[in-house]
Amino acid sequence: MKVLLSVLLTILACDQAANGLRILGLFPLHGKSHWIMQEALMKELAKRGHQVDVVTHFPLKKPIPNYKDISLEGSLPSVVNNMSAVEVLRFQTPNVAYLVQMAGTQLCELLNHPKLQELIKNPPQDPPYDLIVTESFAAPCFLAFGRHLKVPIIATVASVFHDWLNEVSGNPANPAFVPSFFSTHSSSMNFKERLTNAFLSNYLSWQFHYHSNKQVAIVKEHFGLDLSCIKDLYNDIAVYLVNSHHSLNGIRPMTTSVIEIGGMHLKDDNPPSPEVQKWLDESKDGCIYFTFGSMVRIETFPKETVQQFYAAFEKIAPVRVLMKVAKKEDLLPGLPKNVMTQSWFPQISVLKHKNIRAFITHGGVFSTQEAIYTAVPMIGVPLFGDQAINIQNYVNKKVAVSLDIRNITEAKVTSALNTILKDPSYSENIRKLSNKFLDRPLSAMDTSVYWIEYIGKYGNVLRSPALDLYWWQRELLDVYAFIFGIMAVGLYVVLFILCKIKKCLCGSRTCAKKDSAAMKSKKNK
């Protein structure tokens, strides 16, 4: 029986290998938070029998079957636990030019890296790649690999669908009820909000394509492709896997190739250390988890700001606090006794603990999804990027309270904490939201893998026909102009006929009057 089972498993493994795809994963962005989603997907594809070669700054510490790292580690400065409060303030005002330079053009320069040059000049042929998976953010130059290797591209989007992707994907954009990427509006907007939202959405899209168009020269240099503009490369994207979900981000119009897979990275991680586990188990009055994510260092914030948090944490004792601090030696002295710090926590495991009552977060999309997944209400302190709209979205859903990092006081922090701790509606609301978020016909990961394999089988078959039309054709301006012209001509013809009839009638009356006058004149004579 054991022999038969072994033979069966071998046959299944061989069949899986024979039908597996060879996939190139291109992830040149060196942000750890973005990598969380990409890593989960590429590891799952390898687990399911596909051969994946992954270009990344984060090579696996433990190799796994079917997974090959093409490491760029060390080629760019690390941004893990490396962003200070000063740099946070620089990012608070959206600057598309700076975003494209930092997360786009700078990454395009990595095409000079020896390992990427090897991929360009000597791509594997035995077997060749079947498709490419890459993140769509600010470096569309990497989409040139699709045309160079003549394979479809799967694009992952680590947040809600970006404003600048609607035009290039043929997705129907509607700023009347879809908030812009950097907007804090809800889907229910008044006239002023719709006006500003429409302007912001179109401005961001124009600015992004204008600045990213500078990457055309880099594509020409490395791939020899003559492009009219960088937007041409988006035509090779077969599917967009978007890290959003209608329960969290609202109802949005989406073409067939734009697929929501929000929460794909969610899974139980390693248990906390014995020390942290003991702290959580003994937190009978509840525990607050506090982190600003993988990039920002809490300990670099001004002394006055940190002191306000300290005072608030001390005031809510015996409720305890777990606080992520990258470098404890840089933290302001005077940490309250009810606060434990560590340089890293297994976030989902901590949030799932029964004694966790609230989550103080910067509002990153992955952190907020983890809060929804574990049904923990939030106190949001947005710092930059899409964090403000993420937190405002959850404030609107009554599962979060928001604080302004530029105006932190002990009273405001204490009030926010007491609101979450003492008002049971926040816990009830987030449990309901969590249920809606997780209730799906297929898991986010299964959905992602299904569509990747679908494109591997059938090619770029979900491409929107809207991409074959000019913008004025997509908006039906030619149709409206034709209808208006027909109506104008018709109206002109009707008016012309009426004028002729009027003249005839008036002419007849004039003639009749003249005849009558002549007859009267004759009688008088």
Side-chain angles (χ1 to χ4, degrees), residues 131-142:
L131 52 81
I132 291 170
V133 179
T134 187
E135 182 181 4
S136 179
F137 189 44
C141 58
F142 279 85

Side-chain angles (χ1 to χ4, degrees), residues 311-332:
F313 293 158
E314 193 167 22
K315 202 166 187 177
I316 63 168
V319 176
R320 291 177 164 186
V321 179
L322 279 180
M323 184 165 73
K324 175 186 171 289
V325 177
K327 295 182 180 179
K328 190 175 180 179
E329 62 273 18
D330 293 339
L331 189 62
L332 184 73

Side-chain angles (χ1 to χ4, degrees), residues 234-256:
Y234 288 91
N235 286 321
D236 299 326
I237 296 178
V239 159
Y240 293 85
L241 301 176
V242 186
N243 189 31
S244 63
H245 190 261
H246 66 267
S247 65
L248 308 186
N249 308 107
I251 305 302
R252 295 167 179 250
M254 291 189 176
T255 192
T256 310

Side-chain angles (χ1 to χ4, degrees), residues 6 14 23 69 76 98 153 261 273 309 330 358 377 396 404 431 449 466 484:
S6 299
C14 291
I23 300 171
D69 277 309
L76 289 176
Y98 184 69
I153 295 174
I261 46 80
S273 66
F309 279 113
D330 293 339
N396 295 340
D404 187 344
R431 274 196 294 271
V449 173
F484 178 79

Side-chain angles (χ1 to χ4, degrees), residues 5 27 50 73 226 288 292 322 324 327 356 371 401 405:
L5 182 60
F27 306 105
H50 302 294
E73 189 175 22
D226 290 310
I288 311 296
F292 280 161
L322 279 180
K324 175 186 171 289
K327 295 182 180 179
I356 289 291
V401 176
I405 190 63

Side-chain angles (χ1 to χ4, degrees), residues 328-346:
K328 190 175 180 179
E329 62 273 18
D330 293 339
L331 189 62
L332 184 73
L335 190 72
K337 293 181 180 179
N338 64 325
V339 180
M340 171 189 279
T341 66
Q342 293 279 343
S343 60
W344 177 84
F345 292 99

